[in-house]
Amino acid sequence: GKITSLLGEYNVSIESVIQKGRDAGEKVPLVLVTHRVREGSLRSALEEIKQLDKVKKVASLIRVE
């Protein structure tokens, strides 16, 4: 919920989400695909997302044109 709220603050709209695993204490990979967005907005949102306690790392960002 916190991730989607932060994305919304920067006008980043989510097109799809893939999440696998849900066991307590387990790392859960999360893949987000966004609608078209300004790269600066997305990068700003990611900087804040990286600071969340539950987020271990943002592994990659892939831009698709």
Side-chain angles (χ1 to χ4, degrees), residues 27-43:
K27 291 181 183 177
V28 179
L30 183 64
V31 177
L32 299 171
V33 178
T34 68
H35 289 101
R36 218 168 235 258
V37 63
R38 291 185 176 269
E39 188 169 347
S41 297
L42 181 58
R43 288 192 183 277

Side-chain angles (χ1 to χ4, degrees):
K2 290 181 183 180
I3 291 173
T4 57
S5 293
L6 282 171
L7 290 172
E9 287 179 28
Y10 288 93
N11 297 313
V12 177
S13 175
I14 298 172
E15 184 173 320
S16 65
V17 177
I18 300 170
Q19 178 180 350
K20 295 185 179 182
R22 294 209 57 179
D23 294 335
E26 178 185 339
K27 291 181 183 177
V28 179
L30 183 64
V31 177
L32 299 171
V33 178
T34 68
H35 289 101
R36 218 168 235 258
V37 63
R38 291 185 176 269
E39 188 169 347
S41 297
L42 181 58
R43 288 192 183 277
S44 295
L46 287 176
E47 286 304 313
E48 287 200 43
I49 289 169
K50 288 177 185 178
Q51 303 307 313
L52 296 174
D53 291 337
K54 298 288 182 180
V55 174
K56 300 303 177 203
K57 70 177 178 177
V58 175
S60 62
L61 167 65
I62 300 170
R63 180 176 25 176
V64 179
E65 304 251 351

